[in-house]
Amino acid sequence: MPLDVLHRLLAPLREPPLSSRYPDAPPLVQPATRGLPELDPARCARERACADACPTSAITVLGDAWSIDAGRCVFCAACAIACPNGAIRMGARVELAAVDRATLIEVVALPDAGGRP
Ligand code: SF4
């Protein structure tokens, strides 16, 4: 009987680890993880629905650029839901620590509007 208890107590040590060796190995990102939103510039029609839907004003659409402030984003996915063209998806990037505040702002160049405002 005592050996049976010992066997059960040591069982977890015989199993492989459930977590990754982060930061030596990439983090384990599950498919449902909401990382920083990503824009497909080719699908963006500059309708600014994403910026209007964002509760933290993390998104800016100005001229030929779309930008997102990772320091403001709360990963709610409202921007991805609001975009009528499906240009935004919740990405898998979760490593967003930064030393400099300015590096949290990501700018994506938009293709020529072709006469669109
Ligand atoms: S996920 Fe939410 S907070 Fe982040 S940019 Fe989109 S709407 Fe704004």
Side-chain angles (χ1 to χ4, degrees):
M1 184 67 138
L3 282 178
D4 181 48
V5 172
L6 185 64
H7 180 77
R8 279 194 267 162
L9 284 173
L10 295 177
L13 299 177
R14 289 189 290 269
E15 300 292 325
L18 293 176
S19 56
S20 73
R21 292 288 179 196
Y22 184 81
D24 295 331
L28 293 174
V29 179
Q30 300 301 316
T33 299
R34 287 181 180 177
L36 191 67
E38 294 174 353
L39 175 77
D40 178 355
R43 299 179 79 165
C44 179
R46 305 172 198 219
E47 295 174 14
R48 296 176 176 86
C50 54
D52 292 342
C54 180
T56 61
S57 302
I59 295 178
T60 306
V61 184
L62 273 180
D64 294 338
W66 178 93
S67 68
I68 183 164
D69 184 342
R72 286 176 171 255
C73 180
V74 294
F75 313 100
C76 67
C79 53
I81 294 167
C83 180
N85 307 307
I88 298 176
R89 70 176 193 90
M90 298 308 287
R93 228 176 91 202
V94 293
E95 294 176 294
L96 299 168
V99 177
D100 182 4
R101 176 78 179 83
T103 60
L104 292 173
I105 298 171
E106 187 172 298
V107 179
V108 177
L110 297 173
D112 185 23
R116 285 181 300 198

